[in-house]
Amino acid sequence: MSHGDLIAELYAGCFRRLVVQLYAVTGDLSEAQEAVQEAFTRALVAPQRFAGLDNPEAWLRRVAVNVARSRYRRRRVFEGLLRRIGPPPVVADHSPEHLTLLAALRRLPEGQRQALALHYLVDLSVDEIAATLGVSAGTVKSRLSRGRHALAALLADSDVTDPQETGRIHARP
């Protein structure tokens, strides 16, 4: 039996059992599933070593428990940091115009969307965007130009009634 077949057979045979066991440990079904999946992923990284184990299911369980414990500790540290710095600022704008703009941005090609967001929302220069994305300044300029035109067309097709909202993206040269 190949190493991959062994892992596939174990997955089919003990994944649910391990998830139930980890669910009892974590109290969170999605956390349990992720921990068990991570354990199987680690088994796939070194299948020869995994195949040589006397009790692979016990190894998977131990790895999954350790993954869950590590994630729990990191989450506790992160939550402690969040408590110290206070609540995040409210930045979400749920106005119809804002939601329409976000929907239109999501329809743009990734490069254009990134360039527009970094330029207009983060206020980076063309050179800073080029360095951030690892492309040339000319590519950034092209993406900005094409993105503005595509965004304008998408917003013209939508029900945005406030001309200030659609014009805002064109405010910078």
Side-chain angles (χ1 to χ4, degrees):
M1 176 184 301
S2 75
H3 301 306
D5 291 341
L6 171 67
I7 294 172
E9 186 178 302
L10 275 166
Y11 187 85
C14 67
F15 178 79
R16 288 180 189 216
R17 184 171 45 251
L18 289 171
V19 168
V20 169
Q21 294 167 3
L22 264 289
Y23 180 47
V25 171
T26 65
D28 182 336
L29 181 59
S30 64
E31 186 67 28
Q33 289 170 331
E34 289 181 29
V36 173
Q37 288 171 354
E38 177 66 25
F40 274 99
T41 301
R42 291 183 185 181
L44 286 169
V45 170
Q48 300 87 357
R49 187 183 65 176
F50 181 74
L53 296 172
D54 291 334
N55 188 346
E57 185 174 345
W59 183 88
L60 288 165
R61 183 181 313 103
R62 185 176 67 244
V63 170
V65 167
N66 288 340
V67 166
R69 292 172 67 200
S70 293
R71 290 171 60 125
Y72 175 75
R73 283 191 298 268
R74 280 194 298 267
R75 193 170 38 255
R76 276 193 20 218
V77 168
F78 180 68
E79 289 169 356
L81 291 172
L82 288 179
R83 278 192 299 278
R84 281 199 310 223
I85 63 173
V90 177
V91 294
D93 180 359
H94 296 291
S95 68
E97 295 84 9
H98 183 78
L99 295 176
T100 301
L101 177 62
L102 290 177
L105 280 168
R106 281 192 298 271
R107 293 179 60 193
L108 294 177
E110 183 179 7
Q112 292 175 10
R113 182 177 60 251
Q114 290 172 344
L116 288 171
L118 291 172
H119 191 62
Y120 292 104
L121 301 177
V122 184
D123 204 30
L124 296 182
S125 70
V126 169
D127 292 331
E128 290 170 320
I129 296 169
T132 299
L133 298 179
V135 298
S136 71
T139 299
V140 172
K141 290 176 186 178
S142 174
R143 289 177 181 177
L144 286 171
S145 176
R146 290 179 182 160
R148 281 190 292 261
H149 289 294
L151 189 60
L154 289 169
L155 292 174
D157 291 342
S158 69
D159 295 328
V160 176
T161 56
D162 183 2
Q164 292 297 321
E165 196 63 35
T166 58
R168 184 178 302 166
I169 200 77
H170 296 288
R172 256 178 127 178

